[in-house]
Amino acid sequence: MGWEMHITRAECWSESETQPIGSEEWVQLVNHDEELAFDRRNGEFYALWKGQETCWLEWNDGAITAKSPAEPLYCKMLEIAAVLKAQVRDDDDRLYLLPGDLLNPSWAIPEGKPSLMQKITGFFKK
């Protein structure tokens, strides 16, 4: 069992069909990207990242998905998302924006302790 990352235009990847990336957009992107090629043995919209035979992407129901992507494929997903005016989300709908987010996600960084000024203003807001 693994985890997946999704290129989607929706706030929740499972609702990608509400703001879909069209299959024709995916086909056009793959056909114009020298690093991607369709491998129809696994499905009509299954593409391999050339030179990285274990790295694949698949379009389905308005989103593009990869299973347990390593950092290079994740970075490729960020590039694809930018071209398609979409975003990269994980299975829990957390948003990934930067190349370093895969290993050190910005959403996982704990907030620092409140400053003295934040404590004082927080006291008076009660």
Side-chain angles (χ1 to χ4, degrees), residues 32 35 58 65 113 115:
H32 288 91
E35 295 181 341
E58 182 179 23
T65 302
K113 291 184 179 180
S115 67

mmCIF file of all heavy atoms in Angstrom, residues 32 35 58 65 113 115:
data_model
loop_
_atom_site.group_PDB
_atom_site.id
_atom_site.type_symbol
_atom_site.label_atom_id
_atom_site.label_comp_id
_atom_site.label_asym_id
_atom_site.label_seq_id
_atom_site.Cartn_x
_atom_site.Cartn_y
_atom_site.Cartn_z
ATOM 1 N N HIS A 32 3.314 17.234 -25.918
ATOM 2 C CA HIS A 32 4.225 18.364 -26.109
ATOM 3 C C HIS A 32 5.368 18.399 -25.097
ATOM 4 O O HIS A 32 6.196 19.299 -25.138
ATOM 5 C CB HIS A 32 3.443 19.672 -26.073
ATOM 6 C CG HIS A 32 2.603 19.879 -27.290
ATOM 7 N ND1 HIS A 32 1.306 19.456 -27.381
ATOM 8 C CD2 HIS A 32 2.905 20.435 -28.488
ATOM 9 C CE1 HIS A 32 0.824 19.748 -28.568
ATOM 10 N NE2 HIS A 32 1.772 20.336 -29.277
ATOM 11 N N GLU A 35 9.717 14.933 -21.985
ATOM 12 C CA GLU A 35 10.052 14.033 -20.876
ATOM 13 C C GLU A 35 8.959 13.014 -20.580
ATOM 14 O O GLU A 35 9.158 12.118 -19.772
ATOM 15 C CB GLU A 35 10.342 14.844 -19.610
ATOM 16 C CG GLU A 35 11.567 15.721 -19.714
ATOM 17 C CD GLU A 35 11.828 16.493 -18.433
ATOM 18 O OE1 GLU A 35 10.904 16.648 -17.607
ATOM 19 O OE2 GLU A 35 12.963 16.950 -18.258
ATOM 20 N N GLU A 58 -0.914 9.333 -14.128
ATOM 21 C CA GLU A 58 -2.122 8.881 -14.799
ATOM 22 C C GLU A 58 -3.237 9.895 -14.606
ATOM 23 O O GLU A 58 -3.466 10.370 -13.488
ATOM 24 C CB GLU A 58 -2.574 7.528 -14.263
ATOM 25 C CG GLU A 58 -3.798 7.001 -14.973
ATOM 26 C CD GLU A 58 -4.249 5.644 -14.463
ATOM 27 O OE1 GLU A 58 -3.921 5.296 -13.310
ATOM 28 O OE2 GLU A 58 -4.932 4.951 -15.208
ATOM 29 N N THR A 65 -2.528 11.733 -11.234
ATOM 30 C CA THR A 65 -2.089 11.096 -9.996
ATOM 31 C C THR A 65 -0.785 10.338 -10.187
ATOM 32 O O THR A 65 -0.535 9.774 -11.241
ATOM 33 C CB THR A 65 -3.186 10.119 -9.516
ATOM 34 O OG1 THR A 65 -4.395 10.853 -9.337
ATOM 35 C CG2 THR A 65 -2.809 9.457 -8.212
ATOM 36 N N LYS A 113 6.386 29.894 19.347
ATOM 37 C CA LYS A 113 5.718 30.393 20.549
ATOM 38 C C LYS A 113 5.292 31.836 20.299
ATOM 39 O O LYS A 113 5.999 32.583 19.629
ATOM 40 C CB LYS A 113 6.663 30.328 21.744
ATOM 41 C CG LYS A 113 6.969 28.930 22.197
ATOM 42 C CD LYS A 113 7.836 28.959 23.435
ATOM 43 C CE LYS A 113 8.117 27.551 23.908
ATOM 44 N NZ LYS A 113 8.965 27.567 25.114
ATOM 45 N N SER A 115 4.877 35.715 20.703
ATOM 46 C CA SER A 115 5.734 36.744 21.298
ATOM 47 C C SER A 115 5.006 37.392 22.475
ATOM 48 O O SER A 115 3.797 37.207 22.663
ATOM 49 C CB SER A 115 6.069 37.810 20.252
ATOM 50 O OG SER A 115 4.889 38.526 19.912
#
